[in-house]
């Protein structure tokens, strides 16, 4: 079995692949290293042979997690690393090592699945957009705050904005003008995300006409899927790229 980890800014997304690597044994999302270990330790039939991960955390934090996993399960951990070029994709950053590894792997996965030009939109703590041409050239991308950052900034800097996650979820059942603060905030932030997406689509069309594939990934991707019906919603796009960057026998 292979343990795959996507260690983001706020959460760790994990999944365990069966021995044939074509089936997912278990998967989940946790908010800490301890929660990850606790969840894995409770899995009946877990028999890990390998572990690979991508991390946007500090080198020290990533090394600490790798050490814990090695002690707990006896597996060596392979970490994705930056590259100038891989699997036909050429990193477009002036300093290639400064491109976020989560973006890089999503681009590898998207280009592999598209077999051509693609726009990769990832909706997590931050929202990212990356443009990969048909020849594999990464044209660059954009980063903006995601829903968690937008709502937290408003909660932090506006004293009267206070509400829970359940209220936020209910507020997004409609995009009509809000009649409560939670509706106004949640729907306003959602509309900002949609505006961002539409701008990226316009830019992609200016490059490639209609000859490109749009990928939506990340936890908040469903919030915008309705305005891009032709897009491919691939929740595990980063894991597709992770398998390419860190092949295991």
């Amino acid at each position: 079995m292979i343990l795959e980890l996507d260690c983001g800014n706020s959460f760790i997304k994990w999944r365990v692949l069966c021995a044939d690597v074509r089936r997912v044994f278990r998967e989940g999302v946790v908010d800490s290293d301890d929660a990850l270990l606790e969840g894995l330790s409770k899995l009946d039939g877990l028999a890990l042979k390998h572990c690979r991960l991508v991390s946007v955390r500090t080198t020290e934090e990533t090394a600490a997690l790798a050490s814990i996993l090695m002690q707990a399960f006896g597996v060596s951990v392979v970490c994705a690393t930056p590259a100038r070029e891989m699997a036909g994709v050429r990193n477009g950053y002036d300093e290639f090592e400064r491109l976020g590894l989560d973006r890089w792997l999503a681009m590898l996965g998207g280009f592999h699945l598209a077999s051509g030009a693609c726009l990769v939109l990832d909706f997590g703590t931050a929202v990212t957009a990356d443009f990969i041409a048909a020849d594999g050239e990464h044209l660059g991308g954009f980063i903006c705050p995601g829903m968690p950052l937008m709502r937290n900034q408003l909660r932090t800097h506006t004293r009267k904005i206070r509400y829970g996650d359940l209220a936020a979820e209910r507020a997004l059942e409609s995009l009509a003008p809000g009649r409560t603060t939670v509706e106004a905030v949640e729907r306003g932030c959602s509309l900002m995300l949609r505006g961002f997406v539409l701008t990226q689509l316009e830019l992609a069309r200016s490059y490639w006409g209609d000859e490109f594939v749009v990928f939506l990934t990340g936890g908040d991707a469903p919030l915008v899927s309705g305005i891009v019906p032709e897009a491919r919603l691939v929740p595990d796009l980063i894991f597709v790229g992770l398998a390419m960057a860190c092949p295991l026998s």
Side-chain angles (χ1 to χ4, degrees):
M1 291 180 172
I2 298 175
L3 172 63
E4 297 184 324
L5 301 174
D6 173 11
C7 303
N9 293 298
S10 303
F11 298 99
I12 300 173
K13 186 175 182 180
W14 64 271
R15 71 178 188 179
V16 176
L17 301 180
C18 294
D20 62 7
V21 306
R22 288 175 293 183
R23 293 185 297 115
V24 176
F25 176 68
R26 293 287 189 279
E27 60 186 341
V29 179
V30 294
D31 60 4
S32 68
D33 294 357
D34 290 340
L36 174 65
L37 292 178
E38 181 180 358
L40 291 174
S41 65
K42 292 180 179 179
L43 295 180
D44 291 332
L46 183 68
L48 294 179
K49 297 296 183 182
H50 304 283
C51 175
R52 56 190 170 205
L53 68 79
V54 56
S55 175
V56 297
R57 298 175 170 190
T58 66
T59 302
E60 293 76 16
E61 290 172 328
T62 302
L65 175 58
S67 177
I68 291 172
L69 291 170
M70 186 178 298
Q71 293 175 15
F73 302 104
V75 294
S76 59
V77 180
V78 179
C79 300
T81 57
R84 171 63 72 187
E85 184 172 351
M86 181 178 291
V89 180
R90 292 182 297 282
N91 193 317
Y93 262 32
D94 294 335
E95 299 176 71
F96 74 90
E97 64 277 2
R98 297 187 66 84
L99 175 68
L101 279 171
D102 51 347
R103 290 172 63 192
W104 175 238
L105 295 187
M107 285 162 38
L108 294 182
F111 186 73
H112 171 71
L113 295 177
S115 297
C118 59
L119 168 61
V120 177
L121 299 169
D122 191 343
F123 299 86
T125 302
V127 175
T128 61
D130 284 289
F131 299 78
I132 304 93
D135 64 356
E137 186 71 26
H138 174 221
L139 305 182
F142 298 97
I143 304 173
C144 74
M147 286 291 285
L149 285 178
M150 285 193 283
R151 69 164 63 97
N152 287 341
Q153 283 297 301
L154 287 169
R155 286 173 171 173
T156 300
H157 297 288
T158 308
R159 291 185 179 182
K160 292 186 178 182
I161 295 180
R162 296 289 185 273
Y163 56 84
D165 293 339
L166 180 58
E169 183 177 340
R170 289 174 176 169
L172 289 173
E173 293 174 356
S174 166
L175 286 179
R179 298 175 67 88
T180 64
T181 297
V182 61
E183 290 177 352
V185 169
E186 291 297 314
R187 295 173 188 178
C189 292
S190 180
L191 288 173
M192 289 188 72
L193 283 191
R194 289 174 173 233
F196 177 83
V197 169
L198 292 175
T199 300
Q200 307 314 303
L201 291 173
E202 288 180 7
L203 184 54
R205 292 189 184 107
S206 74
Y207 289 145
W208 308 308
D210 292 325
E211 300 300 317
F212 66 97
V213 179
V214 182
F215 291 98
L216 304 180
T217 191
D220 284 329
L223 293 178
V224 301
S225 59
I227 63 169
V228 198
E230 72 276 15
R232 295 177 61 177
L233 183 61
V234 186
D236 295 327
L237 188 60
I238 287 178
F239 285 144
V240 175
L242 179 61
M244 298 167 66
C246 301
L248 297 170
S249 57

